Amino acid sequence: MRLKKILNPWPDAPLPLWMIFPVVFAALYASHFTLLRIPYYWDEAGYYIPAAWDFFRTGSLIPITTLSNAHPPLPSVYLALWWKLSGFEPEVTREAVLIVAALGLLAVWRLTMRLVGVASVAFWTTVLTGLYPIWFAQSSLAQADIFAASCSLWGLVYALPTRGRNGIAAALWFSAAALCKETSIAIPLTLAAIALAESFRQHPPARARLWREAVWLCVCVVPLAAWYGYHYAKTGFVFGNAQYLRYNAESTLSPLRFLAAFGHRILHLTVHMNLFVPVFIALAALLLDPRPDAEGQERPAIPSPALRRIFVLLLVEALLFSVLGGALLTRYLLPMYPLVLLLAVSTLYRRVPYWQTVGLLSAGAFIAGLFINPPYGFAPEDNLAYAEVVRLQLAGIEQLEHRYSGATVLTAWPMTDELTRPELGYVKEPWDVCPIDDFSAAQIESAAQEPEKYSAALVFSTKYDPSSPLFTLGSRSRALDERYFGLHHDLPPETIAFQLGGTLVWKSKDQGMWIALIRFNRQVEAHVERPVQLPARQPAPPQKPRSGNGGVIM
């Protein structure tokens, strides 16, 4: 009888989560299938993959082959488990991350059902979250943000609704989020502060319940504090190495920088990557009266207490990441985008006739955003541009290997690591490199003063920098971005070759990003050029790079 009830649920009963998860994961897997063998990118290869690789090989929670940033170790443990079961391959890594992303989308569905209780609203909120370019791109990238976002969203499932809150379950999920990324602790602490503030307006029984809720939410600090204690005992510092701490916290405390960063964060939460389509239509819909449902009743809305909590969380996260983080990476706000979409979809459902047409329009805008770069500077990891950057860098290294074996290469990060660390999968043997910060005029001028240090140059665009951006906040904003957020302009490869006294021998360009190879006749004896015909490119073997820019937009 019980089996029959499971296999044949009531027609009007909500779908159980165990039936929804395989559908969500299958959709993610199919939509990311061509990305599964893409080598590691940007911070993946810069920190998260080396940290997980060190744990996999040695059992050390503290990275050995890269400087420790004091990031909590739960993503490393999770990835190492999958590598133990299936092998150390990018495809295994990306499939493991897709499982986490699918769990996050499942939390979006569950949270929407608990707050609104309408399956169509939950469906569109989940679909739009999965298609939103930033979430889509991060869904297979092994960076801590997708792990923390998924755990945080499940914590909100148990902490955000007005009824049926479960402090213990919320604490467990928020603790896991904090052990994925330390900044996730801001969400439960914010909810705890709200609970304490609300308790002073309640009668004793309700006040005691809110106090217990606040205590459970604050318990999430304990495992994070234990990790930092362990990290201090092993390394002698708490919050990461001095350079990391200075870049992400100490150098960000200027009031002017904070205001500039906060302006960017508001744009990230409202317009970036075509998010303006559902957000602006929802704002316009507020001018309309709520519509009745089929029974003549007013359509359900997000309860006011939960609505207040959502807005406070959005504000706190925008403020927090206007102070923390040297780069304005949009993935820091990853758990907030589903909340923005939940607000938009629920508003459209309540007030707009044919509201699902707006859902289709928004989905189309997000799909377009995956492939079409915005008319302003952005981080390639915000859409599928990151895959093109990786392919460009693979092509550049292939040209270097065929033409100038044994050269000392002038280049910048991340190519410096890709050429010197065979474990990243780009090269079989490490190359000698002459590193510079970027390919701006100042760095090229400095490199030109020491030509004896390099015999070839592999140069590339370190930023997505449209030549004629259609949308800009003006020269004052650009000056602030250059001063505080590392915005710079790479010289064209032809200019770099001229200023270094070299010859441009190869160049490739794709979607506004480029890479080029330069030779120097003065060092011709240091290598042998082999002008061989390259074979047709085969599918890239499992490898691991990183690339991108600092994430300053608009």
Side-chain angles (χ1 to χ4, degrees):
M1 182 67 181
R2 182 175 178 80
L3 179 61
K4 182 178 180 180
K5 185 176 181 180
I6 293 175
L7 297 177
N8 299 284
W10 293 104
D12 59 346
L15 288 174
L17 298 183
W18 62 266
M19 292 180 64
I20 299 172
F21 177 78
V23 176
V24 173
F25 177 75
L28 280 179
Y29 187 89
S31 59
H32 287 78
F33 184 76
T34 60
L35 303 171
L36 295 180
R37 294 184 180 272
I38 289 291
Y40 299 126
Y41 168 86
W42 189 245
D43 283 343
E44 284 186 302
Y47 183 81
Y48 294 110
I49 294 302
W53 177 241
D54 289 343
F55 175 74
F56 175 67
R57 293 182 301 115
T58 69
S60 173
L61 294 174
I62 308 295
I64 298 171
T65 61
T66 187
L67 288 176
S68 175
N69 294 339
H71 288 318
L74 194 55
S76 295
V77 175
Y78 174 78
L79 292 177
L81 174 62
W82 278 102
W83 295 338
K84 185 70 173 178
L85 295 174
S86 304
F88 180 65
E89 303 287 349
E91 187 172 2
V92 172
T93 305
R94 304 217 179 282
E95 289 170 351
V97 178
L98 284 175
I99 292 174
V100 175
L103 287 172
L105 292 178
L106 193 67
V108 174
W109 172 281
R110 182 58 178 154
L111 179 62
T112 306
M113 289 300 295
R114 293 200 66 189
L115 291 177
V116 182
V118 178
S120 58
V121 176
F123 171 81
W124 280 108
T125 304
T126 304
V127 167
L128 291 179
T129 298
L131 289 176
Y132 184 53
I134 298 173
W135 183 283
F136 187 96
Q138 294 298 320
S139 291
S140 62
L141 292 176
Q143 300 174 142
D145 305 270
I146 189 65
F147 293 87
S150 296
C151 292
S152 295
L153 288 167
W154 273 108
L156 291 174
V157 167
Y158 296 102
L160 197 56
T162 304
R163 296 182 179 180
R165 293 179 192 158
N166 187 328
I168 298 176
L172 290 175
W173 280 109
F174 284 135
S175 296
L179 288 177
C180 291
K181 192 171 186 183
E182 61 278 7
T183 51
S184 300
I185 198 66
I187 295 177
L189 292 183
T190 299
L191 293 175
I194 295 173
L196 287 176
E198 290 180 347
S199 69
F200 295 108
R201 301 195 301 269
Q202 300 295 328
H203 296 296
R207 184 182 305 162
R209 176 181 59 80
L210 289 171
W211 284 355
R212 287 194 300 271
E213 180 181 315
V215 169
W216 277 115
L217 292 171
C218 289
V219 164
C220 305
V221 174
V222 175
L224 183 60
W227 160 249
Y228 278 131
Y230 176 82
H231 190 272
Y232 178 78
K234 291 292 185 178
T235 66
F237 48 83
V238 179
F239 298 112
N241 63 79
Q243 181 181 0
Y244 171 82
L245 185 62
R246 182 168 56 254
Y247 177 73
N248 286 282
E250 296 174 359
S251 64
T252 63
L253 301 180
S254 164
L256 184 58
R257 183 202 179 279
F258 167 78
L259 292 175
F262 185 69
H264 282 291
R265 291 308 189 188
I266 296 301
L267 294 175
H268 292 167
L269 289 170
T270 55
V271 304
H272 186 41
M273 285 297 170
N274 297 339
L275 187 59
F276 68 88
V277 174
V279 169
F280 284 9
I281 296 177
L283 289 174
L286 293 175
L287 300 175
L288 303 175
D289 293 329
R291 299 170 57 244
D293 59 19
E295 298 178 357
Q297 303 295 322
E298 184 174 304
R299 296 191 173 196
I302 300 174
S304 295
L307 199 60
R308 287 195 298 270
R309 282 172 163 78
I310 290 175
F311 280 116
V312 171
L313 285 173
L314 291 173
L315 177 61
V316 168
E317 289 287 288
L319 291 171
L320 175 66
F321 290 112
S322 298
V323 175
L324 298 180
L328 294 179
L329 295 175
T330 55
R331 57 180 157 95
Y332 295 164
L333 297 170
L334 201 59
M336 296 296 104
Y337 298 119
L339 299 184
V340 173
L341 290 168
L342 171 58
L343 293 174
V345 173
S346 63
T347 300
L348 296 171
Y349 165 75
R350 292 195 73 222
R351 299 174 183 270
V352 176
Y354 308 108
W355 65 276
Q356 297 195 63
T357 303
V358 180
L360 283 173
L361 177 64
S362 301
F366 289 171
I367 292 173
L370 282 170
F371 299 96
I372 303 174
N373 292 340
Y376 49 80
F378 78 109
E381 64 175 24
D382 288 355
N383 70 359
L384 295 182
Y386 84 87
E388 301 308 320
V389 172
V390 169
R391 294 184 182 109
L392 281 175
Q393 301 217 351
L394 286 170
I397 292 175
E398 184 179 30
Q399 288 285 336
L400 179 66
E401 289 177 334
H402 278 79
R403 292 174 181 265
Y404 305 116
S405 176
T408 298
V409 185
L410 176 75
T411 193
W413 186 88
M415 192 67 72
T416 49
D417 283 359
E418 294 164 2
L419 290 174
T420 57
R421 302 187 61 168
E423 66 270 20
L424 295 182
Y426 282 93
V427 295
K428 294 181 179 179
E429 297 292 336
W431 289 64
D432 293 327
V433 300
C434 176
I436 56 177
D437 292 340
D438 50 56
F439 304 104
S440 61
Q443 289 292 306
I444 296 302
E445 181 180 358
S446 177
Q449 305 303 313
E450 301 177 303
E452 71 282 357
K453 289 188 174 182
Y454 50 89
S455 55
L458 192 55
V459 300
F460 54 94
S461 49
T462 59
K463 305 276 186 182
Y464 176 77
D465 191 10
S467 57
S468 300
L470 298 179
F471 185 80
T472 176
L473 298 180
S475 58
R476 180 64 183 274
S477 177
R478 286 196 301 272
L480 291 175
D481 291 345
E482 291 172 359
R483 179 179 178 183
Y484 292 116
F485 308 123
L487 178 65
H488 66 269
H489 302 282
D490 295 313
L491 294 176
E494 295 81 5
T495 303
I496 296 174
F498 175 77
Q499 294 191 4
L500 294 178
T503 302
L504 186 66
V505 296
W506 175 83
K507 175 184 175 182
S508 182
K509 186 175 182 180
D510 191 8
Q511 296 191 26
M513 305 292 286
W514 54 264
I515 190 167
L517 182 61
I518 300 171
R519 75 170 184 191
F520 300 96
N521 294 330
R522 63 180 180 270
Q523 294 291 340
V524 70
E525 70 278 3
H527 59 266
V528 177
E529 181 176 357
R530 299 196 297 268
V532 298
Q533 182 68 32
L534 293 183
R537 289 294 306 277
Q538 300 297 321
Q543 296 172 328
K544 330 159 199 161
R546 63 191 175 191
S547 190
N549 67 28
V552 178
I553 72 162
M554 303 183 191

